[in-house]
Amino acid sequence: MDAVTRNPSADEEAERAARWVFSPIGRGVAQVRHYWRTNVRTGVDHQEVIAKIALECPMTARYMLMTMMSAGIAILGLLLSSGAVVIGAMLLSPLMSPILGVGFALATGKQKWLRISAKTLALGSIVAVLFAALIVLVSPLQTVTEEIASRTRPNLLDLLVALFSSIAGSYAMIRGREGTIVGVAIATALMPPLAVVGFGLATLNWTVFFGALGLFVTNCLTIALTATIMARLYGFRTSLSTRQGWFQNVGIFMIFVALAIPLGLSLRQIAWETNSQRIVRNAIQAEFGSRARISEQTIDWDSEPLNITATVFTPDFDTGANGDLSKTLQQELGREVSVNVEQLRVGADPGAAEQAELARARAAEQAAATERQISTLVDRMAMAAGVDRSAVLLDRDTRIVSANAKPLPGLALEGYRDLEARVIGDTPGWQVRLRPPLLALPSVTLGEDGPDDAGVAAEKTVLWAARRIDLPLILSGPAQQTEALATRLRGEGIEIAQVDEADGEQIAIRWAPVPQ
């Protein structure tokens, strides 16, 4: 037996490695690695990059303030459905530093740095959510806008946005080209979803809350792990052992796979819904012909059968349209469908459908504007009365809004009358009825020929209060003047329970006792 015996498995491994090195693929990989090390990695000061990122990772007052302001602007932009305002919020967002800190800390194996960065990111995220929720709570706008809805269904494209943002941010930090624009790229993937999470929390809309939270977590993990990979590619040394580094790489890969699978399925569902919208629109257009115009089209994706509704302007009614469309779309979509098309007849002239659609759009816009005015009117009425919106009565038929005011210390009937006048504001055509508490009525002071200026004002207040409270009055004063006032009040429909004669230069007025 030879003195030195080689291990057959080691020989086979060495032979495979040699074949790999000298194979075309092996040579190509070796050349790429050599080019990367000698041309791409060169000029990177690893210590300077780490120090620069680590310096911005700890929690500071500036970080918290800028996070709150960014979240506040973001939620206002989302409520107003203004993309420009949302972009403005991204310019302020400081989230890039802690999340890149997490990524680079993972790449270098620095546990303390990782804890600091993760804590800063977590606290900043919580503060952003709570501040956005506070703004929503005090805001009269609490409807789910298109900007908000678009951030409640994360998909594979959102993951790609976060991936590309992280690549850009990591490269800029490594190469010393960081700046506001790179921060905007990362904030694009993080701050709007955080603001939407706050909206869902404030409105207790858990579908919005968990949808936006899923998008935020997805983007956060993607950005951090992509930063880890970029740091590894640029040669940032790690304190982890080879085995630990291998397990970390496998873990990162598995996380990306775990994120990509559900997001890919979500993207597939969105693509199917988009394609179905196109199929439905084409089918309706084919059913009614080129002279018809589809004004509205909605599909309830959660219903079974699939509920499809639409409004069509057409010169000719099609009585069998719903049945024909149901059969056609059932074959096209592969699902049971229920179709309900509202047909609005228009002239056969060219452009008649467009004109009808434009008129309908204007009417809808005017109706929406009216609803906004009414909502504002109710808000003002609730504020003036000191009650919740639910305590305000709204009669759309008679166009009257009314509420019972709570007593306010030091406020007399004249003050409640002024509050009612302010409620009306710029809402023409509506009547406001603010019922004041049962307070003392003002006396009508008299001059030589009747009530003086202060008395005239007091009489108007008495007339207003009597109409709101609807109780009889008792008048007491000089006989002639008091009887004249009673006559005027009766002429306005006010019930006078009693008229007493008394000396003095004023007429005292009080409420008649309420019958038991």
Side-chain angles (χ1 to χ4, degrees), residues 228-406:
T228 302
I229 295 173
M230 288 289 291
R232 291 281 185 81
L233 290 175
Y234 274 90
F236 284 80
R237 290 191 300 272
T238 176
S239 59
L240 300 175
S241 65
T242 303
R243 183 179 180 84
Q244 290 172 328
W246 184 83
F247 275 116
Q248 190 183 73
N249 292 338
V250 172
I252 292 174
F253 175 76
M254 294 303 296
I255 291 175
F256 273 118
V257 172
L259 291 174
I261 291 175
L263 294 177
L265 295 176
S266 177
L267 178 61
R268 180 183 177 188
Q269 176 65 20
I270 292 174
W272 182 83
E273 292 178 3
T274 302
N275 187 50
S276 298
Q277 290 274 15
R278 179 184 58 80
I279 291 173
V280 169
R281 190 171 191 85
N282 290 343
I284 295 175
Q285 193 67 64
E287 178 70 23
F288 288 94
S290 59
R291 292 190 300 172
R293 178 174 288 275
I294 303 171
S295 175
E296 297 176 2
Q297 173 186 305
T298 58
I299 302 176
D300 186 356
W301 304 107
D302 298 326
S303 64
E304 191 61 43
L306 198 65
N307 187 28
I308 300 172
T309 59
T311 301
V312 177
F313 295 101
T314 176
D316 301 306
F317 280 109
D318 185 348
T319 56
N322 290 343
D324 295 341
L325 286 170
S326 296
K327 294 178 182 178
T328 301
L329 292 175
Q330 184 171 330
Q331 295 176 353
E332 292 279 352
L333 302 178
R335 285 183 58 177
E336 291 286 337
V337 298
S338 173
V339 180
N340 183 19
V341 178
E342 180 185 6
Q343 302 180 46
L344 302 178
R345 190 164 186 174
V346 297
D349 298 334
E354 289 83 352
Q355 294 174 6
E357 183 179 12
L358 181 60
R360 183 183 177 91
R362 288 173 177 169
E365 182 179 356
Q366 184 176 2
T370 301
E371 287 301 316
R372 289 193 295 270
Q373 282 188 329
I374 293 174
S375 178
T376 302
L377 179 64
V378 172
D379 287 337
R380 289 201 298 259
M381 189 63 165
M383 185 177 297
V387 298
D388 294 333
R389 282 177 57 99
S390 58
V392 178
L393 302 179
L394 185 71
D395 190 333
R396 293 178 180 272
D397 294 332
T398 59
R399 299 176 70 83
I400 295 176
V401 58
S402 59
N404 294 330
K406 289 185 176 180

Side-chain angles (χ1 to χ4, degrees), residues 11 31 46 163 200 289 291 324-325 383 425 428 467-468 494:
D11 290 339
Q31 291 174 359
H46 295 81
L163 177 68
R291 292 190 300 172
D324 295 341
L325 286 170
M383 185 177 297
R467 284 174 172 171
R468 300 296 180 268
I494 305 302

Side-chain angles (χ1 to χ4, degrees), residues 433-458:
R433 295 287 184 266
L434 180 64
R435 189 179 190 273
L438 196 62
L439 300 176
L441 292 164
S443 297
V444 176
T445 55
L446 302 173
E448 295 181 0
D449 299 325
D452 56 16
D453 293 342
V456 171

Side-chain angles (χ1 to χ4, degrees), residues 4-16:
V4 178
T5 304
R6 295 182 63 84
N7 187 340
S9 61
D11 290 339
E12 292 174 1
E13 184 177 349
E15 185 178 351
R16 285 196 299 270

Side-chain angles (χ1 to χ4, degrees), residues 413 435-442 461-475 494-495 497 508-514:
L413 288 174
R435 189 179 190 273
L438 196 62
L439 300 176
L441 292 164
T461 299
V462 168
L463 178 60
W464 172 83
R467 284 174 172 171
R468 300 296 180 268
I469 297 178
D470 196 23
L471 284 177
L473 303 178
I474 296 177
L475 279 61
I494 305 302
E495 182 180 354
I509 306 173
R510 66 183 188 275
W511 301 105
V514 179

